Amino acid sequence: MMITTDAPATLDPDGLTEVLFEDGPDGAYLHGHWRKAVSADLFRYRPGARIEERWQLAYDRLRALNAELPLSPQWLAGDPRELAALHEWAAVVDGATATVAGIHYNLFLGSVLDDEVSPPRELGEFASLARIGTFLCTERAHGNDAAALETVARYDRELDGFVLHTPNEGARKYMPNTGPAGGPKTALVAARLLVDGRDQGVFLFLTPLSDRRGTLPGVTVALLPERVGSPVDHCVTGFHHVRLPRTALIQGPHGRLLPDGTFTSAVGSSRKRFLHAIGRVTVGKLCMSASTLGGCRAALAAAVRYAYVRQISGAGDGGRVPLAAHRSHHGRLLDCVATAYAMTFLHRAVTERWITHRPEERAAAERLVAVAKGWITWRSRDITIESRERCGAQGLFPVNGLAEYAANVDGAITAEGDNLAVWCKAGAEMIFGHASAPAPEVATGAEDLTDLAFLRRALAAAEHHWHSAARRDLRGGGSGDGLGRWNNASDAALALVEAYAVGQAADAFVAACARVADPATRAVLADLGALFLLGQVDSRSGLLLVGKALTAGQVGALAGTRRRLVARLAPHLAALTAAFDVPEEHLSSLPMLAAVPVPRP
């Protein structure tokens, strides 16, 4: 199939935009608001800016976003959907701005506001961003095992306050944005609360770090080397017997200090107290997923537009055709587009589940958020890398808007719980704490390989297989050796988590198709959903063949079915990515999309 030089206008993208940003009752307004905010000139790329200037620019942009808040920063911190939307659009133009926004509004301000036990605190400086809030949990020696962190906050009865201290080099806080950029800063510091010499577990402590003159006494801050991606003022931070008032302790059901200095808690386990203290990390996972979602859609929008701008020699006649004319090019992009739609629909569904879950559903909702974060961020990395490659050498230049996306995704993969660690936790919980998918139906061979319901049943068969395998492998790992049993079951458990994630994305995609009223738009979206599901089924075809969820004939027909779907969808490629609604102010600022060579420095 050959498509024309100009992107064909065979599909109105507005209907697709509507379903993509159907995010709660006010999704169109919500996303339109932040889209407009990042369209301002302040958010365009600054060629030649030094790293220190880019650090400061992230905070300047944060203050610009703060000025655009429809209501107060306190309201924003309490609305997971609004927070996620802010990240989704900020990451389109600057990953660093998304990073500092998430830390300030969610981890810092949100955690302070979640304390309904302490007397109300004065938050005016944080609402106006006269002070930036940051969050210090991870230590040099304690990352995914942060519950074992070593920073201590000793309750001093004589002073009726706390003494915050870093006992060794491994206990220094690793990677928080505590540098001089952005102005004075205050942190929430995770530390072990010691009361009368007894370790009560990890709590958060409100700790001023700096003022206009620099760091405060007892606080040491050392800048870390430059990292890949959009730069943030990451540092290593320590404390030397820093005195804090009683009001520094962030309290809640997990623990409080009574007026007489007695510690009390409704939570018996110190690990559970820690998880309660850092409960904002779950919303942080939603925000990390959203930021990579916005970034990968922007990368795809740029790559697809470039596919029509970039002309190459045609076959035989000496003419020139766009890159998009080649199936080897547009087929890869369509695979990415299909996955990006699935990721978007999954994120909307997971956000809704988190907002509406009942108290008894909290553990399952938290696990779903964690599973979705892993799948969305890993797929975002795949998409940003593919998008960059499809733009050739032009994509290597940061000024063309693609080079930093993949590195920013790497940061999200690690932040708020490393993906592999959170998937291991989810897998361990799901082996016996999650209902198994239905037993597979035997395929007859008459099923249509573009039927979304049939493809979904095939994915359920894969989930069922890996659930059964994980249970079998855990039981077969030998008694008395917990680590050995987990090691024996971990491969199957992780495959279970992935199959579950893909199944949830498939359900969200099918539900989105059902919400589209226009038949032509719904047909294209259904084809895109089939392309996504077909790829997932194809990668598991051997397993599904053995399990009789596919016949040999269906396995043999997978490639041809995919080829026909790509042919049907190719004329709509430009419309499918135009529906992402990436600001024209951003796309038109990228030199490669104006068919102009990147200028030499």
Side-chain angles (χ1 to χ4, degrees):
M1 172 204 173
M2 180 69 71
I3 62 178
T4 57
T5 299
D6 296 323
T10 58
L11 180 70
D12 183 357
D14 289 349
L16 293 169
T17 299
E18 183 178 345
V19 72
L20 279 168
F21 297 105
E22 190 175 342
D23 191 7
D26 301 309
Y29 169 78
L30 171 71
H31 287 275
H33 176 82
W34 292 118
R35 179 189 180 279
K36 181 179 178 182
V38 301
S39 299
D41 287 344
L42 178 64
F43 292 90
R44 303 288 70 78
Y45 184 75
R46 303 292 178 85
R50 294 180 296 108
I51 186 170
E52 294 83 3
E53 294 171 328
R54 294 191 67 188
W55 290 342
Q56 183 59 46
L57 184 59
Y59 293 103
D60 292 343
R61 289 168 169 167
L62 176 63
R63 290 186 168 95
L65 293 176
N66 198 63
E68 295 293 331
L69 286 174
L71 296 173
S72 69
Q74 291 90 329
W75 160 81
L76 174 64
D79 189 333
R81 203 188 314 270
E82 188 84 31
L83 275 169
L86 183 154
H87 281 75
E88 197 167 320
W89 290 101
V92 169
V93 292
D94 182 21
T97 300
T99 296
V100 298
I103 295 169
H104 179 81
Y105 291 122
N106 178 51
L107 295 177
F108 176 82
L109 192 56
S111 296
V112 173
L113 291 169
D114 286 346
D115 179 357
E116 298 179 349
V117 173
S118 302
R121 296 178 171 88
E122 174 51 52
L123 301 176
E125 286 188 307
F126 305 115
S128 68
L129 294 182
R131 274 192 166 270
I132 299 292
T134 186
F135 192 83
L136 280 62
C137 184
T138 302
E139 298 177 352
R140 275 195 184 274
H142 302 286
N144 289 315
D145 69 333
L149 59 79
E150 299 177 75
T151 300
V152 295
R154 178 178 56 82
Y155 177 59
D156 187 322
R157 287 187 175 275
E158 291 186 8
L159 298 174
D160 194 25
F162 305 96
V163 179
L164 182 68
H165 184 62
T166 303
N168 56 61
E169 182 64 23
R172 296 180 74 192
K173 298 298 183 181
Y174 192 71
M175 273 192 79
N177 56 319
T178 51
K185 293 178 180 174
T186 293
L188 284 180
V189 180
R192 312 197 76 81
L193 171 60
L194 305 181
V195 179
D196 298 330
R198 184 174 180 180
D199 183 350
Q200 300 293 353
V202 175
F203 287 78
L204 300 178
F205 295 84
L206 192 64
T207 308
L209 300 178
S210 60
D211 57 20
R212 292 291 177 186
R213 293 168 293 184
T215 54
L216 297 176
V219 180
T220 59
V221 174
L223 284 166
L224 284 166
E226 182 178 355
R227 68 160 175 85
V228 296
S230 303
V232 175
D233 56 324
H234 293 299
C235 300
V236 176
T237 306
F239 304 94
H240 184 72
H241 300 296
V242 174
R243 295 192 177 278
L244 300 173
R246 166 190 275 266
T247 54
L249 175 64
I250 302 299
Q251 303 181 100
H254 61 306
R256 61 186 298 183
L257 204 61
L258 300 179
D260 65 357
T262 301
F263 174 82
T264 182
S265 175
V267 179
S269 160
S270 60
R271 176 170 177 78
K272 288 182 178 179
R273 291 174 190 172
F274 166 71
L275 293 175
H276 193 288
I278 64 164
R280 274 281 165 164
V281 166
T282 298
V283 174
K285 288 181 172 71
L286 281 174
C287 293
M288 291 297 99
S289 303
S291 67
T292 65
L293 193 56
C296 83
R297 288 201 310 259
L300 264 178
V304 168
R305 185 174 293 194
Y306 184 74
Y308 292 101
V309 169
R310 179 69 170 180
Q311 302 281 315
I312 61 173
S313 297
D317 60 4
R320 295 180 70 76
V321 297
L323 283 171
H326 289 268
R327 180 168 294 171
S328 58
H329 197 91
H330 67 246
R332 287 171 173 263
L333 290 173
L334 277 167
D335 285 336
C336 290
V337 170
T339 302
Y341 271 72
M343 293 155 57
T344 302
F345 296 142
L346 175 62
H347 193 274
R348 305 289 181 249
V350 171
T351 302
E352 180 68 17
R353 174 73 183 281
W354 175 250
I355 291 171
T356 60
H357 76 270
R358 297 189 296 270
E360 66 271 19
E361 299 170 331
R362 185 179 181 90
E366 285 182 337
R367 182 167 62 241
L368 178 60
V369 170
V371 169
K373 185 254 186 181
W375 189 74
I376 289 171
T377 55
W378 269 325
R379 298 295 75 76
S380 292
R381 181 168 59 186
D382 295 341
I383 290 171
T384 55
I385 290 172
E386 186 69 44
S387 299
R388 203 291 306 158
E389 288 186 11
R390 300 285 63 75
C391 295
Q394 294 277 14
L396 296 172
F397 293 88
V399 72
N400 279 322
L402 291 171
E404 291 184 350
Y405 281 137
N408 291 342
V409 174
D410 281 338
I413 286 170
T414 300
E416 315 292 28
D418 181 84
N419 280 1
L420 183 58
V422 298
W423 269 29
C424 284
K425 180 177 182 292
E429 293 171 352
M430 290 175 69
I431 292 177
F432 291 111
H434 176 75
S436 181
E441 298 180 20
V442 176
T444 66
E447 298 91 350
D448 185 345
L449 284 177
T450 64
D451 178 4
L452 300 184
F454 172 65
L455 295 172
R456 177 64 182 96
R457 289 198 300 273
L459 289 175
E463 182 182 337
H464 180 89
H465 167 85
W466 288 117
H467 205 160
S468 299
R471 289 178 173 179
R472 178 199 66 218
D473 293 347
L474 189 68
R475 293 188 180 105
S479 60
D481 181 5
L483 178 58
R485 294 178 69 207
W486 168 247
N487 283 340
N488 200 52
S490 61
D491 289 345
L494 289 169
L496 164 64
V497 173
E498 183 177 14
Y500 171 69
V502 172
Q504 294 300 301
D507 290 341
F509 212 133
V510 171
C513 289
R515 294 194 299 270
V516 176
D518 177 63
T521 302
R522 186 169 61 248
V524 171
L525 192 61
D527 275 351
L528 195 67
L531 183 64
F532 165 69
L533 288 173
L534 204 66
Q536 297 297 326
V537 167
D538 193 11
S539 67
R540 298 167 172 83
S541 57
L543 172 69
L544 297 174
L545 177 62
V546 171
K548 299 182 180 181
L550 292 177
T551 66
Q554 287 170 329
V555 172
L558 288 170
T561 304
R562 179 191 177 277
R563 188 164 58 249
R564 288 188 291 276
L565 279 171
V566 168
R568 287 210 300 262
L569 287 165
H572 306 299
L573 175 59
L576 287 165
T577 52
F580 295 159
D581 212 20
V582 176
E584 185 59 33
E585 292 86 350
H586 171 69
L587 291 173
S588 63
S589 73
L590 308 180
M592 72 177 186
L593 298 185
V596 176
V598 175
R600 293 182 179 274

